[in-house]
Amino acid sequence: MQSSSAYGGEVFDMAFRQFEAVANHLDIPTDERQRIFLPKRAVVVSCPIHRDDGSTAVFQGYRVQHHLTLGPTKGGTRFAANVDVGEVAALAVWMSWKCALAGLPYGGAKGGVTVDPHTLSPREMEALSRRYMQEMIPFVGPHIDVMAPDMGTNEQVMAWFMDTYSMYQGKTVSEIVTGKPVETGGTLGRREATGRGVAYLVGQAMKKINLSHSGATAIIQGYGNVGSIAALTLASQGVRIIGVSDHTAAFYDPKGLDVGALERHVRERRVLRGFSNEMTIDPADLLLQKCDVLVPAATERVIGSENVSKLQCRILAEGANGPTTPEADEILDQRRDEIFVIPDILCNAGGVIVSYFEWVQGLQQFFWSEREVMDRLYQALQRSYDQVLGRAKRDNISHRNAALAIGVETVMRAKATRGLFP
Ligand code: NAD
């Protein structure tokens, strides 16, 4: 099967290569593969806004809906300078396998706007968010496609999306997005869900390889929603956070960083830059330092053939989507006894699982306590974790291939049962 020319780029190619490896493992007939892998729809929009200086700027936006077999599509919206349709399509494909692995009634989707959000004023950010949602109205809906935050977007952006959609409907439709602020119909625990989920699974992996939290060390790449909550949660469990980085700075101290002080700094300044004049480290070197837990929680393809052999962690917990290239995966496979990989579609699934809880609560207008949300989240993650480890052992394959195999198989079976229309 060829990867489609409509979706180029190395990230889409990576999603395709991962799928091909798993399709070979599952013996999926060649003529069935495109039907499972290729995205169903891709929407490209131009979003014009007035800049603060009075000029007009146009930003390109995307939404890719991967498959419609199991229910509405679901996925985040990314605002980043390097977003393109191939990357968005790859993220949508990964969302499908992630939702299927977690047993959620969704296909995967993803959206994005090619913009560096740090170059926008708050007013411009609101204008772009609202215009992007307005352009997407014909293609989304609470039972069609439900958006959520991702890199460069947050609860506030979701509130603007929800408000814009609702204004056009003439009524409040809070279920159109998840990851909203609690006061606008969001769920307790969603903001923390992905990072806490990462920390929960790290705890399970530590048990498996006989590591205890106290005395263990962690390095976190990316200090946004996922990375900062993972760091705070692990630190509260006794893990020493010895390194952190974001797109502005990287800090390393083997004695341990003060995560409370980091938190206060980022709350005030939004970035890590300026936290300290000491403890700085080359961001690329940070990943290679000896630690028990390495959490890439920023962007794709940060672990590749050039650095994978030099990793010194015991657990690689993939908070980000697609942080490890297929070439690096081959090496990690040879290092299975040294490095316990928690693959992205398992490791960061806490976000979409609690998004599902938020959607269900919104549809029913019946809201749960934070304890209920968290208990159900950890149950769901535990089930997926057990399935992945069981499958990896049974088939003698990597954790990534086991997770992907379960996800792909679930979608494939649903398609087979529904049949091919007409
Ligand atoms: P965010 O925008 O809140 O934070 C991203 C962080 O990464 C920022 O601190 C940014 O400075 C940093 N960063 C960007 N490029 C970097 C680089 N080259 N090196 C180091 N740091 C860099 O985004 P987020 O929501 O935390 O998402 C992070 C990752 O987690 C993404 O891959 C996203 O797809 C994935 N993810 C997020 C969620 C969620 O619920 N937010 C759920 C599942 C997966």
Side-chain angles (χ1 to χ4, degrees):
M1 191 184 95
Q2 294 281 304
S3 109
S4 162
S5 58
Y7 309 100
E10 52 190 12
V11 183
F12 188 73
D13 188 51
M14 195 173 135
F16 174 70
R17 286 174 59 190
Q18 288 178 346
F19 171 75
E20 276 286 282
V22 167
N24 290 339
H25 175 71
L26 294 174
D27 258 337
I28 301 178
T30 321
D31 61 325
E32 288 292 323
R33 293 186 183 188
Q34 287 204 336
R35 185 179 172 214
I36 301 166
F37 179 75
L38 283 182
K40 176 58 72 185
R41 298 179 186 141
V43 180
V44 183
V45 293
S46 299
C47 305
I49 63 160
H50 287 304
R51 301 299 304 246
D52 288 347
D53 65 6
S55 64
T56 302
V58 179
F59 298 93
Q60 197 96 72
Y62 312 93
R63 187 80 186 162
V64 176
Q65 298 166 349
H66 178 231
H67 77 81
L68 314 175
T69 308
L70 286 164
T73 47
K74 184 87 194 73
T77 307
R78 175 172 291 196
F79 283 10
N82 57 353
V83 165
D84 60 32
V85 72
E87 181 188 33
V88 172
L91 290 161
V93 169
W94 288 327
M95 274 302 285
S96 284
W97 314 144
K98 189 188 302 183
C99 291
L101 171 63
L104 306 179
Y106 293 136
K110 206 76 179 192
V113 177
T114 311
V115 59
D116 178 353
H118 303 98
T119 63
L120 299 177
S121 70
R123 191 206 62 80
E124 291 169 338
M125 187 75 176
E126 176 172 357
L128 183 57
S129 302
R130 288 186 179 279
R131 187 61 191 239
Y132 172 78
M133 173 47 105
Q134 186 276 326
E135 297 290 351
M136 288 296 165
I137 285 176
F139 312 104
V140 299
H143 293 284
I144 299 171
D145 184 13
V146 181
M147 295 184 187
D150 192 77
M151 254 174 87
T153 60
N154 55 22
E155 290 185 343
Q156 176 60 72
V157 172
M158 294 307 111
W160 289 326
F161 280 1
M162 187 277 263
D163 184 67
T164 302
Y165 186 86
S166 297
M167 285 298 139
Y168 278 88
Q169 301 295 318
K171 61 184 178 188
T172 296
V173 188
S174 62
E175 322 85 79
I176 184 62
V177 295
T178 60
K180 302 175 290 290
V182 173
E183 57 274 19
T184 53
T187 183
L188 295 165
R190 172 61 185 89
R191 195 170 56 79
E192 299 83 2
T194 313
R196 284 188 188 165
V198 170
Y200 178 82
L201 292 169
V202 165
Q204 298 311 303
M206 287 171 95
K207 256 192 234 160
K208 188 83 190 163
I209 63 170
N210 287 324
L211 271 179
S212 77
H213 281 88
S214 69
T217 55
I219 291 177
I220 319 266
Q221 181 197 45
Y223 213 73
N225 174 280
V226 179
S228 67
I229 304 281
L232 279 174
T233 312
L234 288 170
S236 74
Q237 295 165 344
V239 174
R240 196 154 26 105
I241 309 299
I242 58 171
V244 294
S245 69
D246 71 0
H247 71 286
T248 66
F251 299 105
Y252 172 72
D253 181 354
K255 293 196 291 297
L257 297 162
D258 178 347
V259 286
L262 279 169
E263 191 57 24
R264 286 190 294 281
H265 178 85
V266 171
R267 204 179 312 135
E268 261 173 41
R269 310 262 188 100
R270 292 172 58 196
V271 292
L272 288 175
R273 186 177 37 223
F275 175 69
S276 159
N277 291 329
E278 296 154 15
M279 305 186 282
T280 55
I281 183 170
D282 182 315
D285 287 344
L286 181 67
L287 301 181
L288 310 180
Q289 301 307 309
K290 192 169 166 48
C291 61
D292 293 307
V293 185
L294 177 62
V295 184
T299 189
E300 299 94 25
R301 301 175 62 77
V302 295
I303 298 168
S305 47
E306 70 294 348
N307 61 2
V308 64
S309 310
K310 300 183 208 149
L311 295 186
Q312 298 192 70
C313 58
R314 304 284 312 283
I315 296 169
L316 176 62
E318 295 183 340
N321 287 306
T324 307
T325 66
E327 295 80 12
D329 257 336
E330 283 175 24
I331 312 278
L332 282 174
D333 213 19
Q334 293 158 17
R335 301 186 66 189
R336 252 192 243 176
D337 294 338
E338 293 165 61
I339 300 182
F340 186 106
V341 177
I342 314 175
D344 51 2
I345 65 166
L346 169 65
C347 192
N348 66 37
V352 72
I353 292 169
V354 175
S355 275
Y356 168 66
F357 298 159
E358 180 175 335
W359 180 69
V360 167
Q361 292 172 69
L363 289 172
Q364 299 184 345
Q365 291 296 302
F366 179 70
F367 292 91
W368 310 350
S369 70
E370 186 169 349
R371 188 67 271 150
E372 274 174 283
V373 172
M374 286 302 145
D375 285 350
R376 285 176 192 250
L377 167 64
Y378 297 143
Q379 271 170 29
L381 287 175
Q382 186 66 49
R383 196 175 51 233
S384 298
Y385 173 85
D386 290 342
Q387 281 178 0
V388 168
L389 262 62
R391 183 64 177 256
K393 191 166 178 200
R394 192 195 83 184
D395 293 3
N396 191 22
I397 52 178
S398 66
H399 292 162
R400 183 178 326 281
N401 282 345
L404 288 169
I406 298 167
V408 169
E409 211 167 50
T410 305
V411 174
M412 178 177 71
R413 287 197 180 133
K415 282 187 185 290
T417 317
R418 284 187 62 161
L420 183 55
F421 181 85

